Amino acid sequence: MTGRRLRTVLLLAAAVPLAAATATAALKAGHLKLYADRHRIELQPQPRRSCPDCRGDGGWWVDGANPEMEACGCWANRPTWCLSLLPVPAWPDEPPF
């Protein structure tokens, strides 16, 4: 392996953990939760721990005959982003020829 190719491989190997660390920091700073499966990638807002209204609980209980939780505006009014992935066709059991 030549010196130039080795340097390229090492730079690419270092770029993957750096990109993952940057994405993790961005999600934490934006108070977002990442959910991914084979059908979609979804970013969901999370309550802020520094919120003076809910103190990171995400809401509070409303008294009444049927108590229910009222969501705090620190996360409930923020959009959820969902990216639907294209369906992958089933792999055939037999070879194509």
Side-chain angles (χ1 to χ4, degrees):
M1 189 178 282
T2 64
R4 186 177 190 125
R5 179 174 257 181
L6 179 63
R7 190 174 7 173
T8 304
V9 169
L10 289 175
L11 283 174
L12 287 175
V16 172
L18 179 64
T22 304
T24 302
L27 289 174
K28 284 185 180 181
H31 302 286
L32 295 170
K33 179 181 174 186
L34 175 70
Y35 173 78
D37 62 10
R38 61 183 287 190
H39 302 290
R40 69 183 177 276
I41 299 172
E42 191 170 347
L43 288 173
Q44 302 169 344
Q46 296 296 303
R48 290 182 291 148
R49 284 189 236 151
S50 62
C51 178
D53 296 330
C54 69
R55 295 182 185 91
D57 292 333
W60 49 88
W61 290 97
V62 178
D63 293 331
N66 297 322
E68 58 185 36
M69 186 172 187
E70 184 174 333
C72 183
C74 71
W75 70 276
N77 297 336
R78 294 173 55 202
T80 297
W81 296 296
C82 184
L83 176 65
S84 298
L85 302 176
L86 293 174
V88 178
W91 191 263
D93 292 338
E94 298 177 8
F97 46 85

